[in-house]
Amino acid sequence: MTETKTSVYDQGHEEDEAPLVQAHPAPVDILSLDATIIDDEDQDASSLPSDPTMHEYDDDIPLFPTEEELRKEETVVGAGVASGVFGLLLGGPLFGLLLGLGAAYACNKPGAAGDTARAVGEIALEARSKARRIDEEHHIVDRSKVVVQETWEKAQQIDQTHGILEKTKQTFVYGWTVTADFVKRHNLVER
């Protein structure tokens, strides 16, 4: 007598049950379909079958964020950026990242830490708006771009004239060679 093994997937399924995976329907030739235009006088749109993929929107839920929600998001971002920059200057990139993420997280929490983080965010937003006003009045960003471009072009001209980059490269290679030779002669690695 041979015993048939059934897998875990076969247990509990009778042969008369529908298969778990259904076959895809045959492709439809869309050129052969008749298009029917619904005239408002002929048929009401509510009598048409509804499309299950379409979702109706609730009028109570706004589609766009309110001014208050936008301001709150800007405050969170401002707190994160300002605290991140401060942390970067204070303790390096990892500390800056942790401090920025912590401040952004704290903005959504009640208590003293949340109040402090939100205050930092508000200060950052005020600083940004003040910087934008000053830039609009004095065109600092545009002028800075011009100065940097002119300085770069001048540096390239000086380098082409005097070969500063090539001389600097040769100096570093010479220094490395002399250091490596000194280490070999005096057996500094073996000590």
Side-chain angles (χ1 to χ4, degrees):
M1 181 175 195
T2 55
E3 189 176 308
T4 59
K5 293 184 179 181
T6 59
S7 70
V8 175
Y9 300 107
D10 294 335
Q11 294 175 356
H13 293 287
E14 300 295 326
E15 291 186 16
D16 58 317
E17 289 184 12
L20 294 177
V21 179
Q22 296 178 354
H24 292 287
V28 177
D29 183 16
I30 60 171
L31 298 176
S32 66
L33 296 176
D34 291 328
T36 307
I37 299 175
I38 300 172
D39 192 10
D40 288 338
E41 297 171 6
D42 295 341
Q43 188 175 9
D44 186 18
S46 63
S47 66
L48 294 174
S50 63
D51 186 1
T53 61
M54 298 299 294
H55 300 288
E56 294 183 18
Y57 292 103
D58 189 3
D59 291 336
D60 295 338
I61 301 173
L63 295 177
F64 300 103
T66 62
E67 289 291 324
E68 181 181 327
E69 292 171 337
L70 287 175
R71 184 67 178 183
K72 183 179 177 183
E73 288 178 14
E74 287 178 341
T75 303
V76 170
V77 171
V81 169
S83 299
V85 169
F86 180 71
L88 176 70
L89 297 174
L90 190 65
L94 183 61
F95 187 67
L97 177 69
L98 292 175
L99 194 61
L101 290 174
Y105 175 76
C107 279
N108 295 320
K109 299 296 177 188
D115 293 341
T116 304
R118 285 186 289 276
V120 168
E122 291 292 331
I123 291 170
L125 291 177
E126 287 301 317
R128 180 186 70 176
S129 65
K130 181 122 178 137
R132 283 183 177 170
R133 278 183 289 194
I134 291 172
D135 182 51
E136 288 173 0
E137 291 176 16
H138 301 287
H139 307 289
I140 295 171
V141 173
D142 295 333
R143 290 179 181 179
S144 299
K145 287 179 183 178
V146 169
V147 168
V148 167
Q149 182 66 31
E150 290 173 355
T151 304
W152 177 250
E153 290 171 359
K154 185 71 173 172
Q156 287 178 330
Q157 288 174 356
I158 291 172
D159 181 52
Q160 287 176 353
T161 305
H162 301 289
I164 294 173
L165 288 177
E166 187 62 33
K167 290 177 183 176
T168 304
K169 179 180 154 187
Q170 290 173 355
T171 302
F172 279 117
V173 169
Y174 176 74
W176 180 261
T177 306
V178 168
T179 304
D181 185 48
F182 180 80
V183 168
K184 281 183 182 178
R185 278 188 291 137
H186 296 289
N187 296 326
L188 295 178
V189 176
E190 295 175 4
R191 292 184 183 179

